[in-house]
Amino acid sequence: IDESGTKKVTVNLPDNLTVFAIRAVAATKKDKFGFEKSEVSVRLPVIVQPSLPRFLRIGDSFSAGGVARVVEGAGGKALFSIAADGLDLGTTKPNAWNDITLPDKKARPIYVPMTVLPSTYDDNGKLTRDSITVRMSVRKAQSETGDAFRVSIPLLPDRAPHTNIVVGPVTKDSSFVFEKIADVPRPNTCNRYLLVSNQSAVIKVLNAIRYLILYPHSCTEQRVSRAYPSLAYKGIWDKIGIETPDERLLDYVNETLDYLAKVQTASGLFAYWPGGDGSINITAYSVEFLSMVKKLSEHNGRYRFDETVYERAIRALERAVRSDYSNFLGGYEFYERTTALYALAFAKRVGHAYAVELALFNGEADPLSQARIYTALHESGKTFKGHLLKGLENKLWNHLVFKKENGKEVFAGMQSGSPKIGAVMHGSQVNDLSGIVRAFARGNSKPQKAHMVTKKLIAMGSSDGWGNTHANGLALLALHDAIFHNDRKRSRVAVTLTANGTTESLKTPDSTGVIKKTLAAEDYGEISYTENKGHDDIQVMLYERYLPRAKGGMVEAVQEGFAVKRRLIYVHENDSADTKVWIDSGGMTHTVNLGATIEEHVQVSNPKTNHFVAVSIPLAAGFEYLNPELKTASKDFHPKGRTPDSGTYNTFLDDRIVYYFNRMEAGTYDFYFRVRATTSGTFTQPPAHAELMYQQDVFGHSPGTEIQIVSKE
């Protein structure tokens, strides 16, 4: 402050409608100071606030918009305009000014009828439009004084799409036949094509990666299983000559890195879910992935790699590789030690003594554990004695069975592995074989036999890859190491396509070995053989994904391992008994008054003990979940029904509630929660669904229904 004794300071404030607290402090260098404070209120004479659903589903129709209020001055004549991307506004003209009257100092709802327009789907079956944008403006008639908002609302499908994938060979003696789609797909939702290749591994890999991209759940294992293989294959697709199947890879890798930080426990281990117990198995898998990201991050700053998270996990695995570690899962001590060793090898942090100990004293260990020790010795960068590696290799060959067929040696499968490695550790023969293939990719004394084993792993793949997220992850990584990271001979493939009576010759471009042909829903025909020198092993995949014409509210109940029932409980304000209505069949319409409280009850019958179960309960867009854990929650938020077991982890989202069980005992499970009808209109409520996350053909769901929310006026 100069000799005048005063100072004027300019403060820039954001354009927020709020009250700003301003505090000024003055002080000398020694002992004098003083302060003053005041408030500045920033207001508009007229304001408008959005009054819209938190999300929408395709086909929903409703009445919504905004709520206007005169804050300063008198009410009177006013104008409003509204526009939306992805909504039909009925008779309301987009962006046109419409006459209204605003009362003095009172809220004035401005609602117009809206219907969600159909949307198209991309090659991975995702909506090309994933949100709806609504813009609304209000101003006084005789001035430019007014307010406006722009809101983006998530757009979700009203039902699960139908997916059909068929894989088959084309030979000199047989063709691949495809029929037209018997169902009637919704317009612009059918994604259908043929993929032809003389590399059957390419077909299986694409199926597996697509399965991982579309998988609906997202625990730690499932996130890593999508991000890790996709990252490994990132540079492969250009070599093969096809488009990458995961266009969101960078974003998804970063999302997974952020998630890992959230699920890391105090011990440094990662859990399946936030707040859960740490798992050596899932930590080792995650550290493998993090080691790859760390390496890539040295040349690419776009990954949000956290060195602290990585080092804490490494230290946790260094403790877990020791025999005196105290937190092993009972009965899996050796398995978890080898899993930790395996991950430490990819991080170049293997302790020589522990590696030798596990290599020498593996006894009757399961095949995957022995394969991981063998891989760890090769991957660690340390030098180990030849007899140690040779002994491990011999044990791996002893797990494999070969036999003679027509005088030719063929791979006949595996001898049984450890009976302990089951659902808890996601064990399977695919996992064992993947471990052996990945081990032999680093060195083996019988390359011809090793190639037979790799071909068997490829042959075990099907329309969903290798059956679940973990098996797909391990198989993809094994094939990457055994086949795809090497330069391969690529040659031209030629086939004949006969579609709807018209014949054309198809050849691979640039000798990549892959042909893609897009089909319409009504196309039918066959792929037949054309002379291909030295390439008789031609595989064809037919991929079909579309939304059936019937809305999600028409879906009937299905029981394929679980029985799922759902009912609505109308909560009455007085002391009269609540009205309870079961949703018995698809196509029903249930009417609810605007503002009413509904208690939802979902019942799942589980016939036997299962591991890794997901119970997903979608909500109608006109409903808003009432969270009883909020400090402001009233008694209306608390359901009368009791949920005795809410699982290992649960998540409460705007559009659905999901309960996850790492272990679900046989029995009947009841889930209760409350919602409030907040928007008038007609909304699809998709079925409640229960499934095994690692065996999705074991599932069940309730019927879908339609919720009609009506105003009392």
Side-chain angles (χ1 to χ4, degrees), residues 228-482:
Y228 184 14
S230 288
L231 198 57
Y233 278 84
K234 185 174 183 294
I236 300 297
W237 305 121
D238 289 339
K239 292 182 181 180
I240 295 177
I242 60 177
E243 296 178 1
T244 175
D246 196 349
E247 295 178 352
R248 286 195 64 247
L249 178 59
L250 174 63
D251 292 338
Y252 194 80
V253 168
N254 282 328
E255 290 169 12
T256 303
L257 295 174
D258 294 341
Y259 184 82
L260 287 174
K262 295 177 183 177
V263 297
Q264 191 167 38
T265 65
S267 68
L269 296 175
F270 297 117
Y272 279 90
W273 306 103
D277 296 329
S279 162
I280 297 172
N281 192 39
I282 200 62
T283 302
Y285 192 36
S286 301
V287 165
E288 278 186 67
F289 162 64
L290 289 173
S291 296
M292 174 174 282
V293 177
K294 177 181 172 66
K295 186 176 180 180
L296 293 174
S297 295
E298 295 172 357
H299 308 286
N300 185 343
R302 295 183 298 169
Y303 298 112
R304 295 195 291 266
F305 180 79
D306 190 326
E307 187 74 33
T308 302
V309 171
Y310 181 62
E311 284 298 322
R312 290 185 64 214
I314 290 287
R315 291 194 294 272
L317 292 181
E318 287 175 335
R319 293 190 293 271
V321 81
R322 297 165 54 99
S323 60
D324 60 353
Y325 185 71
S326 59
N327 291 319
F328 290 122
L329 192 61
Y332 294 91
E333 291 85 353
F334 190 85
Y335 181 87
E336 291 194 302
R337 288 185 71 196
T338 59
T339 301
L341 178 77
Y342 186 68
L344 290 171
F346 285 92
K348 307 302 181 188
R349 300 281 284 272
V350 165
H352 189 278
Y354 296 117
V356 172
E357 177 194 350
L358 291 172
L360 288 174
F361 303 106
N362 56 76
E364 298 300 320
D366 61 282
L368 184 55
S369 293
Q370 292 179 345
R372 283 177 167 169
I373 298 170
Y374 184 77
T375 303
L377 299 189
H378 278 280
E379 191 69 25
S380 66
K382 298 180 181 295
T383 301
F384 294 94
K385 293 182 180 180
H387 68 84
L388 198 63
L389 292 168
K390 187 63 178 176
L392 280 168
E393 183 186 346
N394 288 337
K395 287 183 178 180
L396 293 179
W397 286 119
N398 289 338
H399 289 296
L400 307 174
V401 178
F402 295 85
K403 66 180 182 180
K404 292 282 187 179
E405 280 188 5
N406 300 321
K408 184 179 179 181
E409 189 174 41
V410 296
F411 177 54
M414 293 185 64
Q415 301 188 56
S416 59
S418 170
K420 290 184 179 179
I421 310 303
V424 175
M425 292 294 179
H426 316 301
S428 70
Q429 190 177 86
V430 169
N431 294 10
D432 292 344
L433 206 60
S434 297
I436 292 174
V437 167
R438 203 174 191 193
F440 284 165
R442 283 156 175 78
N444 71 87
S445 59
K446 303 173 184 178
Q448 188 172 355
K449 285 188 174 183
H451 180 65
M452 295 180 196
V453 178
T454 302
K455 288 186 68 175
K456 175 62 175 178
L457 178 61
I458 295 170
M460 292 174 73
S462 62
S463 61
D464 57 359
W466 286 266
N468 61 60
T469 54
H470 195 56
N472 277 342
L474 296 187
L476 286 169
L477 293 168
L479 293 178
H480 173 272
D481 291 359

Side-chain angles (χ1 to χ4, degrees), residues 37-312:
K37 59 183 180 179
S38 64
E39 293 182 345
V40 176
S41 179
V42 180
R43 309 174 71 180
L44 290 174
V46 178
I47 63 171
V48 60
Q49 296 171 300
S51 179
L52 295 159
R54 293 175 180 265
F55 67 94
L56 290 167
R57 299 187 190 277
I58 294 173
D60 287 347
S61 58
F62 57 99
S63 179
V67 177
R69 186 190 304 270
V70 175
V71 179
E72 294 181 352
K77 293 183 178 180
L79 302 169
F80 83 90
S81 71
I82 187 169
D85 298 328
L87 291 176
D88 182 350
L89 301 180
T91 58
T92 304
K93 223 174 188 181
N95 294 314
W97 289 105
N98 302 273
D99 295 329
I100 54 170
T101 300
L102 295 178
D104 294 341
K105 310 291 185 182
K106 290 184 179 180
R108 165 67 156 84
I110 307 173
Y111 293 158
V112 300
M114 307 180 184
T115 301
V116 181
L117 295 171
S119 181
T120 57
Y121 286 72
D122 64 17
D123 286 350
N124 287 319
K126 296 283 189 180
L127 286 167
T128 53
R129 178 192 296 278
D130 60 4
S131 64
I132 298 292
T133 301
V134 179
R135 300 176 297 279
M136 193 171 201
S137 302
V138 176
R139 65 178 175 85
K140 287 187 174 181
Q142 302 302 321
S143 73
E144 294 299 320
T145 302
D147 189 21
F149 67 76
R150 181 179 184 274
V151 175
S152 182
I153 306 170
L155 176 62
L156 304 173
D158 61 304
R159 64 177 297 170
H162 175 81
T163 302
N164 179 45
I165 302 175
V166 181
V167 178
V170 171
T171 68
K172 294 178 180 179
D173 303 317
S174 65
S175 300
F176 181 90
V177 178
F178 57 95
E179 304 291 342
K180 66 179 182 179
I181 295 177
D183 202 350
V184 180
R186 293 186 198 177
N188 302 316
T189 69
C190 183
N191 179 27
R192 190 179 190 223
Y193 60 84
L194 292 164
L195 204 64
V196 185
S197 176
N198 63 351
Q199 301 286 336
S200 57
V202 173
I203 302 288
K204 305 298 177 65
V205 165
L206 286 172
N207 284 342
I209 290 181
R210 183 178 291 105
Y211 172 91
L212 293 170
I213 293 171
L214 296 175
Y215 190 76
H217 307 298
S218 53
C219 74
T220 304
E221 182 279 317
Q222 290 144 7
R223 289 172 183 263
V224 173
S225 285
R226 173 180 168 182
Y228 184 14
S230 288
L231 198 57
Y233 278 84
K234 185 174 183 294
I236 300 297
W237 305 121
D238 289 339
K239 292 182 181 180
I240 295 177
I242 60 177
E243 296 178 1
T244 175
D246 196 349
E247 295 178 352
R248 286 195 64 247
L249 178 59
L250 174 63
D251 292 338
Y252 194 80
V253 168
N254 282 328
E255 290 169 12
T256 303
L257 295 174
D258 294 341
Y259 184 82
L260 287 174
K262 295 177 183 177
V263 297
Q264 191 167 38
T265 65
S267 68
L269 296 175
F270 297 117
Y272 279 90
W273 306 103
D277 296 329
S279 162
I280 297 172
N281 192 39
I282 200 62
T283 302
Y285 192 36
S286 301
V287 165
E288 278 186 67
F289 162 64
L290 289 173
S291 296
M292 174 174 282
V293 177
K294 177 181 172 66
K295 186 176 180 180
L296 293 174
S297 295
E298 295 172 357
H299 308 286
N300 185 343
R302 295 183 298 169
Y303 298 112
R304 295 195 291 266
F305 180 79
D306 190 326
E307 187 74 33
T308 302
V309 171
Y310 181 62
E311 284 298 322
R312 290 185 64 214

Side-chain angles (χ1 to χ4, degrees), residues 675-701:
V675 296
R676 179 165 291 152
T678 57
T679 305
S680 60
T682 302
F683 305 92
T684 294
Q685 182 166 275
H689 186 89
E691 70 178 15
L692 295 185
M693 290 190 285
Y694 293 97
Q695 193 179 345
Q696 287 183 285
D697 56 348
V698 179
F699 69 98
H701 61 71

Side-chain angles (χ1 to χ4, degrees), residues 543-602:
Y543 178 81
E544 299 172 335
R545 187 175 176 88
Y546 62 91
L547 277 181
R549 187 177 292 275
K551 294 179 65 175
M554 305 296 291
V555 176
E556 297 291 350
V558 173
Q559 296 183 27
E560 294 291 345
F562 292 97
V564 184
K565 299 172 66 177
R566 188 173 189 173
R567 68 174 172 174
L568 304 177
I569 302 173
Y570 293 75
V571 180
H572 299 303
E573 296 179 359
N574 52 35
D575 294 331
S576 61
D578 297 335
T579 303
K580 303 177 180 180
V581 180
W582 286 104
I583 301 175
D584 293 320
S585 62
M588 298 176 67
T589 299
H590 297 271
T591 302
V592 178
N593 289 330
L594 183 65
T597 298
I598 299 294
E599 184 163 320
E600 293 240 29
H601 173 207
V602 173

Side-chain angles (χ1 to χ4, degrees), residues 479-532:
L479 293 178
H480 173 272
D481 291 359
I483 300 176
F484 287 99
H485 80 291
N486 298 317
D487 289 332
R488 300 173 302 125
K489 290 183 179 180
R490 294 173 291 174
S491 58
R492 190 174 297 278
V493 175
V495 294
T496 299
L497 169 65
T498 303
N500 311 321
T502 302
T503 299
E504 67 174 302
S505 178
L506 300 179
K507 294 183 179 180
T508 53
D510 303 323
S511 300
T512 58
V514 179
I515 302 169
K516 183 177 180 181
K517 180 66 176 179
T518 302
L519 300 175
E522 62 273 13
D523 288 344
Y524 64 93
E526 66 177 12
I527 295 283
S528 56
Y529 183 83
T530 302
E531 289 296 330
N532 289 274

Side-chain angles (χ1 to χ4, degrees), residues 26-34:
T28 66
K29 291 183 179 180
K30 296 183 179 180
D31 56 355
K32 293 184 178 181
F33 68 92

